[in-house]
Amino acid sequence: MIATDTTANAALTDLLARYARAVADKDLTAFCALYAEDVVVFDPFDSWTLSGLADWRAATAAWFAALGDAPMTVTHRQIQAHGQGDVLAGHAWAAYTSPAHCGAMPSTVGNRCTLIARRHAAGWRIVHEHHSLPIRLATLQPLFGPTPPQEGPT
């Protein structure tokens, strides 16, 4: 049975809200509870590919430590999802806001996020996460815009 967009969007919105709370609280345990043990993450910063929850936990711990006491707010927009049975796939625009990034980068960094989740006994767990940044063809520079280029459904 294919989940309605409303059902799938609600499930993805819940996952993303828990993600945002865990990041704001810098709660590594809550953050990692969102992921399956066999998660594969494509991240545009530093590592590119992280395989398994242990690698993702280490990268996230380093990120939280680098933030120090600086707050981090994550906002997701343009959330769209589709689901069938125990699989959920979706995408959103993610904006990360922190004064810790006010040096070389803007205080808000936006990127595209695609997620695939599998239903476990304890709920949905992310098995694949892919963040990407659009690249300006003329300069080959990433676009770290704080908002998506085109507004759409939230």
Side-chain angles (χ1 to χ4, degrees), residues 36-106:
E37 288 292 328
D38 60 346
V39 66
V40 175
V41 177
F42 294 166
D43 191 28
F45 300 101
D46 295 330
S47 299
W48 284 54
T49 301
L50 297 136
S51 295
L53 187 54
D55 284 353
W56 188 222
R57 178 187 309 272
T60 303
W63 174 38
F64 287 174
L67 288 171
D69 292 332
M72 173 63 76
T73 302
V74 181
T75 306
H76 294 95
R77 297 165 64 182
Q78 298 181 349
I79 299 169
Q80 295 183 21
H82 303 279
Q84 184 171 2
D86 291 337
V87 177
L88 173 69
H91 55 88
W93 181 263
Y96 295 79
T97 303
S98 176
H101 292 145
C102 289
M105 296 171 57

Side-chain angles (χ1 to χ4, degrees), residues 1-144:
M1 177 177 163
I2 296 177
T4 64
D5 285 345
T6 302
T7 302
N9 279 346
L12 183 57
T13 298
D14 176 65
L15 266 175
L16 295 175
R18 291 186 300 145
Y19 176 102
R21 275 193 306 274
V23 170
D25 295 341
K26 297 183 189 94
D27 184 339
L28 188 60
T29 301
F31 186 88
C32 290
L34 300 170
Y35 295 88
E37 288 292 328
D38 60 346
V39 66
V40 175
V41 177
F42 294 166
D43 191 28
F45 300 101
D46 295 330
S47 299
W48 284 54
T49 301
L50 297 136
S51 295
L53 187 54
D55 284 353
W56 188 222
R57 178 187 309 272
T60 303
W63 174 38
F64 287 174
L67 288 171
D69 292 332
M72 173 63 76
T73 302
V74 181
T75 306
H76 294 95
R77 297 165 64 182
Q78 298 181 349
I79 299 169
Q80 295 183 21
H82 303 279
Q84 184 171 2
D86 291 337
V87 177
L88 173 69
H91 55 88
W93 181 263
Y96 295 79
T97 303
S98 176
H101 292 145
C102 289
M105 296 171 57
S107 61
T108 298
V109 174
N111 68 67
R112 300 174 293 207
C113 176
T114 302
L115 300 171
I116 300 172
R118 184 173 57 227
R119 191 187 324 259
H120 289 248
W124 293 102
R125 296 292 180 263
I126 300 166
V127 296
H128 180 62
E129 181 171 320
H130 185 145
H131 291 270
S132 64
L133 302 164
I135 304 292
R136 186 177 308 282
L137 187 58
T139 63
L140 298 180
Q141 296 296 310
L143 301 173
F144 290 102

